[in-house]
């Protein structure tokens, strides 16, 4: 196994903790609401969405440690936050302390969605950048699957009112392992050059990545791209970066308006509403997690072959078909069988092969080196703001509306995503980061110039 793959896998384990932390709360959803007698609004705010508000905070501020401390130190900090959150959430005795520790874990999730894709994109060669960055997403869905499986096993073994504490506390084990492993990866060569001027260390890392590469030419290209950006004296929210900002906003917006976090967080509740029993609902969520994992692997295999844009075309079609049919099942009361679970599996497959595989890769690619962490922070923030809003209001929505109008709304959003892919989204596969900068950044950039589907095969 090459060093770059080893480092990418290690850093991508932050995604495993991201996914586990995001999904593990589904097993504690209803037991905690019953235990502390919370209203739907209190439950949505303090229990279900608090980690997501922490994620928003971590995503908004994640560019600061990623740039100031460095990618590696920030990834180490993330492991500590996950560890503290897992232990604290498992032992608390009131909803306010629970919310505090979930907030800490959420901050770790938010920062990881900035630092991990940024680091991997900066060490990856163009021909395999999509696959390597997508390993972060693979680990997210693997973490989600393991959370669902863990919840089912613990729920079966510990049939007590405190089973949810074990469900949440078990996350401390992978958090500790990840924290120890991250100390063995080197610092990002682009960060070393641009933030510390540590050319000798960067040269060693670049040679470790590719011994046959012309390292001097790579460093010169990195410096030239940086000089162009510094010479422009542009603020992040300026005309110069308007296209990358628009692209990052839209892909993050549609990622959450697909309903993916709604399904992950409330899968047992949705399946019970579809007239499955509680244990059958938990088992079905584990099956959904497995579908997520398998189709993420397929997306990873295709992202550098078919490209980011083609995968979103495929995914948009799958989204529309599954969401429309799920909505129809609820409207027609065709519930109680396997139709809704199977359609949810189709929805998850469509997400995993498209948005799931593409989002973190695409956001990490479209911003230039000079503002990549800031751009990753922006795109991640949009993603998590909408995730938090959806999670916050869903207990009320599910208590007020049936599944029919809820899934119909998400279907309309995916129709709009298809329009975005057709008319706005450029193809970025196999294009060096510095070359992408030339096409996507500038005061006079237009969409006609950024249609990069002609990118090298």
């Amino acid at each position: 196994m090459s060093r770059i793959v080893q480092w990418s896998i290690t850093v991508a384990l932050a995604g495993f903790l991201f996914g586990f932390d995001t999904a593990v709360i589904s097993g504690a959803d209803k037991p905690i609401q019953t235990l502390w007698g919370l209203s739907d609004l209190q439950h949505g705010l303090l229990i279900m969405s608090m980690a997501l508000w922490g994620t928003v905070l971590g995503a908004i501020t994640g560019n600061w440690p990623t740039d100031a401390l460095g990618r590696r130190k920030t990834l180490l900090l993330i492991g500590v936050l996950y560890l503290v959150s897992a232990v604290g959430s498992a032992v608390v005795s009131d909803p306010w302390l629970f919310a505090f520790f979930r907030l800490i874990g959420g901050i770790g999730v938010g920062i990881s969605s900035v630092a991990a894709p940024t680091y991997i994109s900066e060490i990856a060669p163009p021909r395999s950048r999509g696959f390597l960055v997508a390993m972060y997403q693979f680990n997210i869905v693997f973490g989600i699957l393991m959370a669902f499986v863990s919840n089912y096993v613990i729920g079966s073994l510990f049939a007590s009112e405190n089973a949810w504490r074990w469900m949440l506390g078990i996350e401390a084990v992978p958090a500790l392992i990840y924290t120890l492993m991250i100390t063995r990866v080197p610092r990002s060569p682009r960060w070393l050059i641009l933030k510390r001027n540590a050319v000798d260390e960067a040269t060693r890392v670049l040679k470790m990545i590719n011994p046959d590469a012309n390292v001097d030419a790579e460093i010169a290209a990195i410096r030239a791209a940086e000089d162009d950006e510094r010479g422009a004296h542009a603020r992040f929210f300026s005309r110069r970066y308007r296209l990358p900002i628009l692209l990052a906003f839209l892909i993050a917006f549609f990622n959450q308006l697909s309903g993916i976090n709604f399904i992950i967080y409330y899968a047992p509740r949705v399946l019970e509403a579809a007239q499955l029993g509680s244990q059958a609902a938990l088992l079905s969520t584990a099956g959904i997690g497995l579908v997520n994992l398998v189709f993420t692997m397929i997306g990873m295999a295709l992202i550098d072959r078919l490209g980011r844009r083609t995968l979103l075309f495929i995914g948009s079609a799958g989204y529309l078909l599954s969401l429309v049919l799920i909505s129809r099942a609820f409207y027609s009361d065709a519930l109680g069988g396997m139709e809704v679970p199977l359609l949810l599996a189709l929805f998850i497959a469509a997400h995993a092969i498209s948005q799931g595989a593409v989002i973190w890769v695409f956001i990490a690619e479209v911003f230039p080196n000079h503002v990549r962490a800031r751009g990753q922070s922006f795109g991640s923030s949009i993603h998590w703001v909408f995730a938090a809003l959806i999670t916050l209001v869903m207990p009320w929505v599910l208590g007020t509306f049936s599944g029919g109008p809820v899934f119909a709304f998400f279907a309309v959003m995916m129709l709009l995503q298809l329009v975005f892919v057709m008319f706005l989204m450029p193809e970025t596969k196999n294009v060096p980061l510095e070359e992408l900068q030339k096409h996507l950044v500038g005061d006079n950039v237009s969409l006609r110039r950024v249609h990069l589907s002609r990118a090298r095969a």
Side-chain angles (χ1 to χ4, degrees):
M1 184 184 298
S2 70
R3 282 172 170 164
I4 189 171
V5 173
Q6 291 178 35
W7 300 336
S8 297
I9 290 174
T10 300
V11 171
L13 288 176
F16 177 89
L17 295 168
F18 169 160
F20 196 99
D21 192 83
T22 298
V24 74
I25 192 64
S26 66
D29 171 17
K30 297 183 78 172
I32 288 179
Q33 185 170 14
T34 302
L35 174 66
W36 287 321
L38 301 173
S39 69
D40 284 345
L41 183 59
Q42 289 173 324
H43 186 61
L45 177 62
L46 295 177
I47 306 304
M48 298 304 291
S49 73
M50 186 54 68
L52 284 172
W53 291 115
T55 301
V56 171
L57 179 60
I60 291 172
T61 60
N63 65 289
W64 177 80
T66 302
D67 277 338
L69 303 178
R71 285 52 163 151
R72 186 179 64 181
K73 284 186 179 179
T74 302
L75 291 164
L76 186 62
L77 171 65
I78 289 164
V80 175
L81 291 175
Y82 281 127
L83 184 61
V84 171
S85 174
V87 174
S89 299
V91 301
V92 295
S93 57
D94 69 78
W96 296 100
L97 277 175
F98 183 90
F100 171 75
F101 283 109
R102 288 293 293 167
L103 181 74
I104 289 175
I107 291 172
V109 171
I111 298 176
S112 80
S113 64
V114 176
T118 297
Y119 179 91
I120 299 173
S121 70
E122 290 182 345
I123 66 168
R127 68 182 181 277
S128 57
R129 187 175 60 237
F131 175 82
L132 293 173
V133 178
M135 282 201 297
Y136 177 71
Q137 176 66 19
F138 169 82
N139 275 276
I140 292 174
V141 300
F142 185 50
I144 291 170
L145 172 61
M146 288 298 99
F148 285 151
V149 171
S150 174
N151 285 351
Y152 177 73
V153 171
I154 291 173
S156 300
L157 294 178
F158 301 96
S160 72
E161 62 182 19
N162 287 320
W164 65 268
R165 296 186 185 275
W166 291 98
M167 292 178 185
L168 297 174
I170 198 69
E171 185 183 350
V173 176
L176 179 61
I177 294 171
Y178 162 80
T179 303
L180 295 175
M181 289 179 64
I182 206 68
T183 60
R184 301 182 64 84
V185 302
R187 296 193 285 182
S188 162
R190 282 181 168 85
W191 181 83
L192 287 167
I193 293 168
L194 302 179
K195 303 296 182 180
R196 290 293 182 270
N197 197 30
V199 177
D200 291 343
E201 184 179 349
T203 299
R204 287 196 299 272
V205 176
L206 288 170
K207 287 182 177 178
M208 291 168 71
I209 292 172
N210 185 0
D212 299 325
N214 185 339
V215 174
D216 290 338
E218 286 191 35
I219 293 175
I222 293 169
R223 287 195 178 281
E226 176 70 0
D227 290 342
D228 288 344
E229 288 306 300
R230 291 194 182 280
H233 301 294
R235 294 175 292 105
F236 180 75
F237 290 104
S238 66
R239 180 178 174 83
R240 183 170 183 80
Y241 303 121
R242 71 191 186 283
L243 185 57
I245 288 172
L246 175 64
L247 294 172
F249 175 89
L250 289 174
I251 197 167
F253 172 83
F254 286 123
N255 183 282
Q256 284 307 300
L257 269 293
S258 69
I260 183 61
N261 262 28
F262 159 60
I263 296 300
I264 290 172
Y265 269 62
Y266 295 106
R269 193 176 289 212
V270 171
L271 289 167
E272 285 184 45
Q275 300 177 14
L276 275 72
S278 59
Q279 282 300 102
L282 277 176
L283 185 59
S284 294
T285 60
I288 288 171
L290 181 60
V291 171
N292 200 0
L293 181 70
V294 170
F295 278 86
T296 295
M297 294 172 66
I298 295 172
M300 289 173 61
L302 296 176
I303 192 169
D304 286 321
R305 297 180 184 180
L306 300 183
R308 292 59 160 149
R309 193 164 174 263
T310 301
L311 290 186
L312 279 194
F313 267 123
I314 295 170
S316 296
Y319 278 134
L320 282 169
L321 178 62
S322 58
L323 290 168
V324 167
L325 291 178
I326 293 172
S327 177
R328 178 178 173 274
F330 275 96
Y331 272 120
S332 62
D333 202 29
L335 306 172
M338 290 305 296
E339 181 181 356
V340 171
L342 289 175
L343 288 171
L344 284 175
L346 174 59
F347 168 85
I348 292 292
H351 177 83
I353 202 172
S354 61
Q355 270 277 9
V358 169
I359 179 173
W360 306 116
V361 177
F362 188 74
I363 295 174
E365 289 176 327
V366 297
F367 290 97
N369 295 326
H370 181 61
V371 295
R372 178 165 298 112
R374 180 71 185 275
Q376 191 74 31
S377 179
F378 169 78
S380 180
S381 300
I382 298 302
H383 174 277
W384 289 116
V385 164
F386 281 100
L389 288 173
I390 289 170
T391 307
L392 173 63
V393 303
M394 272 304 155
W396 174 83
V397 170
L398 291 173
T400 307
F401 301 98
S402 71
V406 174
F407 285 100
F409 168 78
F410 290 130
V412 172
M413 291 299 103
M414 291 301 91
L415 181 61
L416 294 178
Q417 176 182 268
L418 184 59
V419 174
F420 157 66
V421 175
M422 291 176 64
F423 296 106
L424 288 175
M425 184 180 179
E427 181 55 74
T428 58
K429 71 168 184 174
N430 296 337
V431 184
L433 294 176
E434 285 71 30
E435 185 174 332
L436 279 172
Q437 177 177 321
K438 297 176 184 177
H439 290 277
L440 299 175
V441 175
D443 294 332
N444 298 311
V445 162
S446 69
L447 286 170
R448 294 176 183 175
R449 291 178 52 201
V450 302
H451 219 48
L452 300 174
S453 53
R454 63 182 182 278
R456 292 184 291 273

